[in-house]
Amino acid sequence: MTQLTTTHKSNQLNTDVIEEILSAVTSIEYGSVEVVIHDGRVVQIECRKKIRLNQSKPNRKTLEP
């Protein structure tokens, strides 16, 4: 397994973790990705997906008498 070096305490981040983070980022159009780290290690990846609804004004027709 390929290892990539991080800048924190010479810990290494494996490609599985990197792929999970990239997958989370690319899977949402609006929202956020939070990476939780304990003791210099990634322990959790949280995704918050936002759904944007079309907020255009509806066409209102006035009723004629």
Side-chain angles (χ1 to χ4, degrees):
M1 182 182 306
T2 304
Q3 297 283 319
L4 299 178
T5 304
T6 64
T7 57
H8 181 69
K9 296 181 183 177
S10 297
N11 286 341
Q12 294 186 332
L13 193 61
N14 71 39
T15 55
D16 292 338
V17 173
I18 294 169
E19 288 175 8
E20 286 293 334
I21 293 169
L22 289 174
S23 175
V25 170
T26 59
S27 70
I28 58 175
E29 188 172 348
Y30 297 100
S32 61
V33 174
E34 181 178 348
V35 179
V36 180
I37 300 168
H38 288 249
D39 291 329
R41 300 189 72 174
V42 175
V43 295
Q44 186 170 324
I45 301 168
E46 295 182 18
C47 300
R48 291 184 188 91
K49 180 179 177 181
K50 306 293 182 187
I51 300 170
R52 304 266 173 132
L53 303 176
N54 186 359
Q55 297 295 323
S56 64
K57 295 180 182 179
N59 292 333
R60 293 188 177 206
K61 295 182 180 180
T62 57
L63 298 176
E64 295 183 26

